[in-house]
Amino acid sequence: MPPRLTSHDFDQELLILFDAYVHNQIDRRGFLEKAQRFAKAGVTAAGLLAALSPNFAAGQQVKPDDARLTTERPSVASPRGTGTIRGYLARPASAGTTRLPSVLVIHENRGLNPHIEDIARRLALDGFMAFAPDALTPLGGYPGDEDKAREAFATLDQARTREDFLAAATWLRARPDGNGKLGAVGFCYGGGVVHGLATRLPDLDAAVPFYGNTPPPDQAASVKAPLLVHLAAVDERINAAWPAYEKALKAAGADVEVHQYPGTQHGFNNDTTPRYDAAAARLAWDRTLAFFRRHLV
């Protein structure tokens, strides 16, 4: 088996171009046209796109049928949002009647794909009840194709989608098999949602955004939850706004811990793509688990 590709195998300008494509700043045709100048040694622009795109099988850490877990796909009422939001719930099978700490897992801008389901299962194996809602529910759910998912995602009414996530958080905290404490973790788009939830849920017990967009600084005073913020090194689209928001959080007396990981790209925790940085992801995840155990258990 050939060695797994990493971000070091690609030109930095190409990685920035791919980030723009993933976040709908350019379309597929635009990416391929601009990526053509990086194609060499028999590798086409389409081949570069394929190499950079997610490989869910390669990143899977916990199998969907792992006997150590129980999983289900409940639907949550969201009367202020789109009406209903479905999701993926994972719990340790050995929990019995133990009331578990709960974590809301919020996906990137492609809906509830196999990688985010795997994140939920990882949390369940570490003793949490994890619920990953799918913002694409009103459009039929994650379609099984990243390009189609991203296109569908761009058509969502984000105000209603935010209400869907708020409904999911409220539902998860109220479950009788939970211990009443709620954390949230999100990645990219989901990191931004976590930041937003922290401004709207004064009783959120722990919030962990991975490289997510921040709210306007004037909303920082509403944050009561302890924050653990993970940032990539090369991620101008996200990092440019962070200093002003961090300053506002500190001025408001918020409990905030920030880590920026040298040499990393946006998406460094996602182990389905070459932007994954194994060492940084492991450290960030260890910090995340310790943070949740400190505030939720």
Side-chain angles (χ1 to χ4, degrees), residues 151-176:
E151 291 168 4
F153 200 85
T155 70
L156 289 173
D157 179 331
Q158 286 298 324
R160 290 191 173 187
T161 297
R162 287 191 292 271
E163 294 299 326
D164 285 346
F165 284 121
L166 194 64
T170 301
W171 172 85
L172 182 58
R173 180 195 288 280
R175 283 181 62 92

Side-chain angles (χ1 to χ4, degrees), residues 21 27 158 269 272:
Y21 167 67
D27 61 15
Q158 286 298 324
N269 189 72
T272 72

